[in-house]
Amino acid sequence: MSEKPIPNRSLEELFEFARTMELEAARRYTQLSDMMAQHNNSELTDLFKRMADIEWLHVYNVEKARRELDVMEGTPSSYPGFGLNAPEVPDFLSMHYLLRPYHALKLAMQHEERAAIFYTELADSTENDEVRAVALRFAEEEKNHVRELQQWLARYPEPEPGWDDDPDPPNELE
Amino acid sequence: MEMTIQNMQLAQCGSRSAEPYDSDSYLSGVKPIWCPGCGDYSVLTSLTNALAYLQLSPEQVALVSGIGCSSRIPAYTSVYGFHGVHGRALPVATGLKITRPDLTVLVAGGDGDGFSIGGNHFLHACRRNVDLTYIIMDNQVYGMTKGQASPTTAPDWQGSELTPHGTGVNPFQPLVIALASGANFIARCFSGEPANLAEILVQAIQHPGFSVVQILSPCVTFRPEQRQWKNSVRMAESGLDTDIRTAARRLMEDDGMTVGQILYKGKRPAYQPQSASRGDIHKLERGFVL
């Protein structure tokens, strides 16, 4: 039920969506970092914090591209919850307090892939040449992010089954 | 303002709009301690987005809660908050709205707080139809006290040592009861659909009278099987039934997993007594002297 590309978006709408998606992803990774800090998972706290910083950089990059192309600012928050289900924004419900960097990077990669597919589908469906060009540019950037995450992920082997075993689980009843 | 990397980058991006509030404006500095995977995080995010969409200033909003995991939510926001007594969020919120009709009063809590301990208040809040928005994070379990069956738990759930053979008791049907008791706006949402939830919350807040929004919000610690809710909920095909008989049939026939739409929207005027006044504090105090 996530957001689908809407054909015939204007260039202003495309930039507004791209910016909002990166902004929400930055907010979400910050929240995930805070969540893991509360549960003493320091590895994931740091990793999600780094992801948030990267997403903030992407917010900046979208704005820079908008200014380069002299595109007007769109109207923020065109509907309630705009961007909350955007392809790049990870889901709270996928979290577990014992997640490892491998899982977090896989999750981030899946969302970057979703964003690349979103922009590619948008480019395929639009009749506006300018929108198609920018959507393809964004799709390529998302694919670059996937490749960067693949390199990062290579440093972490997949955890053995039982990674979520906790000898003192929070739902233990005594 | 603290100069974090985010702020520096936002500053470089330039001012975006004249709108004074974004979703971060409604967050306090207190970090949630809900379990990772808990649905209540999404509810908080959707709520702050809904408030940002409505551009309500934080001092115009009050969030009243009872006791339980979900009732921690006022502490995580920057609006006025009241973390009250178990099951008593609705009477506190009713009193607040009656005396301060200028405030947007929201009420939040869980299924145990709202339908068991606070069950009677729920019925009468629906009847009174004061202009409140009641946000129920329903996970069908008492999470804070380590996983006992709640009023909305299925009768055959055997996950608690207190009910090893299940409760054997019919689960409470909050939205049917809400409709029968007079609630003016009824919706069910899923915390895994935060954009939809934000949209429904905006409409619930804007609709006059008592609005009930039941949110299926998984407890991944004591009901880990609820992680599968994302596969079992379904979006309602159509909503906005103003005909109470159609809404009643829809709610009675539903299995509780239909989400994402308004299920009933009534036209009753909100209850707001003309005689309500803030009164004189000294006069009020004298009334309590023994």
Side-chain angles (χ1 to χ4, degrees), chain B:
Chain B
M1 181 187 282
E2 187 190 354
M3 194 44 90
T4 61
I5 187 167
Q6 290 95 323
N7 291 336
M8 283 191 284
Q9 283 159 355
L10 270 185
Q12 286 164 2
C13 293
S15 172
R16 287 290 306 165
S17 86
E19 290 189 341
Y21 304 111
D22 65 11
S23 59
D24 292 339
S25 308
Y26 302 94
L27 289 172
S28 72
V30 181
K31 305 299 181 194
I33 58 164
W34 294 314
C35 303
C38 173
D40 296 352
Y41 284 99
S42 290
V43 179
L44 177 62
T45 296
S46 298
L47 178 60
T48 55
N49 270 267
L51 294 173
Y53 183 81
L54 293 168
Q55 286 294 295
L56 294 168
S57 63
E59 66 272 16
Q60 275 183 292
V61 182
L63 179 53
V64 181
S65 71
I67 295 294
C69 295
S70 54
S71 289
R72 291 178 175 277
I73 201 166
Y76 306 142
T77 71
S78 62
V79 304
Y80 284 122
F82 190 95
H83 189 176
V85 185
H86 208 357
R88 312 297 177 228
L90 284 170
V92 170
T94 300
L96 179 59
K97 184 65 185 180
I98 294 292
T99 50
R100 288 289 306 273
D102 55 309
L103 293 177
T104 297
V105 181
L106 313 173
V107 195
D111 40 299
D113 184 73
F115 307 140
S116 186
I117 300 97
N120 206 24
H121 293 303
F122 177 61
L123 303 181
H124 297 290
C126 294
R127 283 181 57 224
R128 287 189 192 103
N129 197 33
V130 173
D131 190 14
L132 303 169
T133 300
Y134 189 24
I135 300 163
I136 305 131
M137 288 159 261
D138 188 352
N139 55 16
Q140 303 174 358
V141 75
Y142 285 94
M144 186 174 267
T145 51
K146 301 201 111 181
Q148 297 79 30
S150 83
T152 52
T153 305
D156 58 351
W157 180 68
Q158 300 176 359
S160 168
E161 289 179 7
L162 286 179
T163 49
H165 308 295
T167 63
V169 177
N170 216 31
F172 192 78
Q173 302 293 327
L175 301 189
V176 176
I177 302 288
L179 185 71
S181 306
N184 216 27
F185 179 105
I186 295 172
R188 188 188 297 118
C189 295
F190 174 50
S191 61
E193 289 295 335
N196 170 263
L197 175 55
E199 194 175 332
I200 297 287
L201 287 175
V202 165
Q203 295 189 56
I205 293 167
Q206 288 177 324
H207 193 71
F210 190 65
S211 298
V212 177
V213 183
Q214 179 194 19
I215 304 163
L216 301 180
S217 186
C219 173
V220 296
T221 300
F222 293 99
R223 301 291 306 264
E225 71 278 12
Q226 289 176 350
R227 282 191 186 272
Q228 296 310 312
W229 274 357
K230 62 185 172 194
N231 301 319
S232 50
V233 295
R234 59 189 169 279
M235 293 295 272
E237 285 177 8
S238 60
L240 202 58
D241 276 321
T242 50
D243 175 48
I244 199 160
R245 283 166 299 190
T246 310
R249 192 178 316 116
R250 174 200 288 271
L251 289 169
M252 289 295 290
E253 290 173 354
D254 189 68
D255 65 354
M257 300 305 280
T258 307
V259 296
Q261 293 280 356
I262 298 161
L263 299 167
Y264 175 68
K265 207 169 178 180
K267 293 177 181 165
R268 291 173 66 207
Y271 176 72
Q272 179 63 46
Q274 295 301 314
S275 59
S277 70
R278 296 181 199 183
D280 177 339
I281 189 70
H282 301 297
K283 195 175 164 188
L284 280 171
E285 281 176 345
R286 281 197 296 276
F288 287 93
V289 173
L290 295 174

Side-chain angles (χ1 to χ4, degrees), chain A residues 1 16 56 73 95 172, chain B residues 6 9 16 227 235:
Chain A
M1 292 188 231
E16 190 53 37
W56 280 110
E73 286 186 4
M95 293 297 117
E172 180 69 36
Chain B
Q6 290 95 323
Q9 283 159 355
R16 287 290 306 165
R227 282 191 186 272
M235 293 295 272

Side-chain angles (χ1 to χ4, degrees), chain A residues 53-65:
Chain A
D53 287 346
I54 291 167
E55 296 296 350
W56 280 110
L57 189 63
H58 295 167
V59 176
Y60 174 73
N61 289 342
V62 169
E63 278 299 295
K64 196 173 152 200

Side-chain angles (χ1 to χ4, degrees), chain A residues 106-154:
Chain A
K106 283 285 270 193
L107 182 80
M109 219 166 76
Q110 285 164 8
H111 284 278
E112 298 292 337
E113 282 166 354
R114 281 175 51 184
I117 291 167
F118 174 87
Y119 285 126
T120 306
E121 287 180 356
L122 179 65
D124 290 345
S125 64
T126 187
E127 291 164 6
N128 181 325
D129 291 340
E130 286 181 314
V131 169
R132 185 180 304 111
V134 173
L136 287 173
R137 174 178 167 174
F138 285 159
E140 198 49 48
E141 284 176 16
E142 300 299 348
K143 286 174 192 168
N144 281 338
H145 301 159
V146 172
R147 285 189 279 274
E148 285 164 13
L149 284 164
Q150 277 169 336
Q151 288 172 7
W152 198 352
L153 184 65

